[in-house]
Amino acid sequence: MSGDSAADPLRRATVGQLVRALARQGGDRTVFRRLRARYCVQQVARCCELEGRTVVDVGGGDGWCAEAFEAAGARCVVVDPFPVPARTGPATVVGDGYWLPLLEGAADVCYCSDVLGRIPDPVGLMDELIRVTRVDGMVCLAFTNWSSPGGHTRYPVRTRPLLRHLRGRSDVVLVEAGPRYFPRPLRGLLRVPVLRGFAVQVTLRRCR
């Protein structure tokens, strides 16, 4: 994999590329971060159109996913308590995920990656993500399950209670819940508990 291919926003990123980039990165993680952001945005694009849409990236203050969303044709607004302005650009809002400084229904797509394990109330954050998403818009969450090898973050995030909460809401439909870096043809293996516990992606559609 060349540096040029990693920098090309139109090329698809694969799990194999991510593994190779992680192994080769040395002290510079730029190639890996750009590929990972592109891969994450591809996962979102499987479930909804991004061209011309407004995406709110909650907790994306490093700007990598914002860059990938923009490359996919979306307008991306980053909300983060500690953004990096040089990376996120002018469409950045300093704010807390529990009280997003946005109107209800402001986003076509609300995206939140690797935040739930750093906060004490993940359900409260999810409720706020749903609030700022328009009817028929999409909410995309990504996190690492507490039971996985890398999941012992400051606050435990367990998939089953989160999904139970979401299924109990009448204003969202669960579109997809599965592993973030698992090839789709092999998802039948998720019946194996140890495989089910890794990085998780959840996609919701707000229905009212």
Side-chain angles (χ1 to χ4, degrees), residues 161-183:
L162 292 181
L163 294 181
R164 186 184 306 121
H165 170 75
L166 293 170
R167 290 187 175 112
R169 293 187 59 134
S170 61
D171 56 347
V172 294
V173 173
L174 182 62
V175 175
E176 185 177 51
R180 192 175 189 180
Y181 303 110
F182 212 77

Side-chain angles (χ1 to χ4, degrees), residues 34 38-39 42 48 95 97 107 143 148 150 172 199-200:
R34 183 170 283 121
R38 194 189 313 158
Y39 178 87
Q42 287 168 193
C48 59
F143 59 93
S148 76
V172 294
V200 178

Side-chain angles (χ1 to χ4, degrees), residues 27-194:
D28 183 3
R29 301 192 62 174
T30 299
V31 170
F32 173 74
R33 286 170 174 163
R34 183 170 283 121
L35 278 170
R36 182 176 179 271
R38 194 189 313 158
Y39 178 87
C40 294
V41 171
Q42 287 168 193
Q43 299 298 93
V44 176
R46 285 193 299 101
C47 298
C48 59
E49 176 64 42
L50 291 176
E51 180 73 36
R53 301 298 196 270
T54 298
V55 176
V56 175
D57 183 1
V58 178
D62 59 12
W64 293 108
C65 282
E67 177 184 84
F69 277 120
E70 295 280 352
R75 299 180 297 272
C76 188
V77 177
V78 174
V79 181
D80 194 287
F82 307 105
V84 182
R87 292 276 316 138
T88 56
T92 304
V93 178
V94 178
D96 189 313
Y98 291 131
W99 298 279
L100 293 172
L102 300 170
L103 296 175
E104 182 168 350
D108 296 307
V109 179
C110 199
Y111 180 73
C112 184
S113 175
D114 300 320
V115 173
L116 297 188
R118 293 183 279 163
I119 58 174
D121 181 17
V123 168
L125 175 62
M126 288 193 301
D127 291 345
E128 186 68 350
L129 300 179
I130 293 167
R131 181 189 70 80
V132 302
T133 304
R134 67 169 173 81
V135 175
D136 287 330
M138 308 297 286
V139 178
C140 300
L141 300 164
F143 59 93
T144 303
N145 193 328
W146 176 260
S147 62
S148 76
H152 287 261
T153 49
R154 181 177 180 183
Y155 298 101
V157 183
R158 294 183 172 87
T159 304
R160 185 176 296 178
L162 292 181
L163 294 181
R164 186 184 306 121
H165 170 75
L166 293 170
R167 290 187 175 112
R169 293 187 59 134
S170 61
D171 56 347
V172 294
V173 173
L174 182 62
V175 175
E176 185 177 51
R180 192 175 189 180
Y181 303 110
F182 212 77
R184 294 179 67 79
L186 300 179
R187 289 196 170 189
L189 293 175
L190 293 180
R191 291 188 293 269
V192 181
V194 69

